[in-house]
Amino acid sequence: MTATIIDGLEFDIPLDHAQIKALARLHRQQLGDAIYHEDQHIGELGISHRAKIAGFTRQLQPEERLAFYKIYNHELRRLAIDDPLHPPHAEEGVNIFLLVVIMAIAAVILYFAFVRHVTG
């Protein structure tokens, strides 16, 4: 059993699913924190994460590498879906009733501002 350290997390070979998921959570947290810091560039941080992972996975067998990426990517996708700051319902379309009310208000304003003065 060999151990490798990535971003402060120790990885055993053979792979442990909990360790891979912890790394994905750490990377997601670091990317989320980088959004609010001007001194960090998200792209550079993402490339750094991928470079560290690629360096680690080079020592794995092809089947283990595939399993690692499958677990890591699945956990990142799950974290993106379960993001409390950006819930899925927040990206739904505009309420149709609200749109109709706004259009009616705009029509009334236009009528009293222009049409009534031109025709009357």
Side-chain angles (χ1 to χ4, degrees):
M1 179 189 285
T2 352
T4 303
I5 297 177
I6 302 175
D7 289 338
L9 297 175
E10 189 173 310
F11 285 86
D12 300 326
I13 298 177
L15 297 173
D16 181 17
H17 297 290
Q19 292 171 332
I20 298 170
K21 289 180 179 183
L23 179 67
R25 284 191 296 273
L26 175 67
H27 284 177
R28 172 65 177 93
Q29 179 187 7
Q30 288 175 345
L31 286 171
D33 293 344
I35 291 172
Y36 302 107
H37 293 91
E38 292 180 12
D39 57 327
Q40 284 185 318
H41 297 278
I42 296 172
E44 292 175 5
L45 185 61
I47 291 170
S48 169
H49 289 163
R50 285 299 184 177
K52 291 174 188 175
I53 291 171
F56 169 68
T57 56
R58 280 192 196 109
Q59 64 184 340
L60 300 176
Q61 297 298 321
E63 306 84 33
E64 292 175 322
R65 184 179 308 136
L66 183 62
F68 179 92
Y69 280 117
K70 184 177 178 182
I71 295 166
Y72 180 81
N73 291 335
H74 181 267
E75 185 67 11
L76 285 178
R77 282 191 189 102
R78 187 190 67 76
L79 291 170
I81 291 171
D82 294 343
D83 186 3
L85 296 177
H86 304 95
H89 67 79
E91 296 188 19
E92 291 177 355
V94 176
N95 186 345
I96 299 299
F97 176 73
L98 182 62
L99 186 62
V100 169
V101 169
I102 291 171
M103 294 297 287
I105 292 171
V108 168
I109 291 172
L110 288 175
Y111 174 75
F112 283 109
F114 298 108
V115 176
R116 209 168 125 201
H117 291 294
V118 173
T119 59

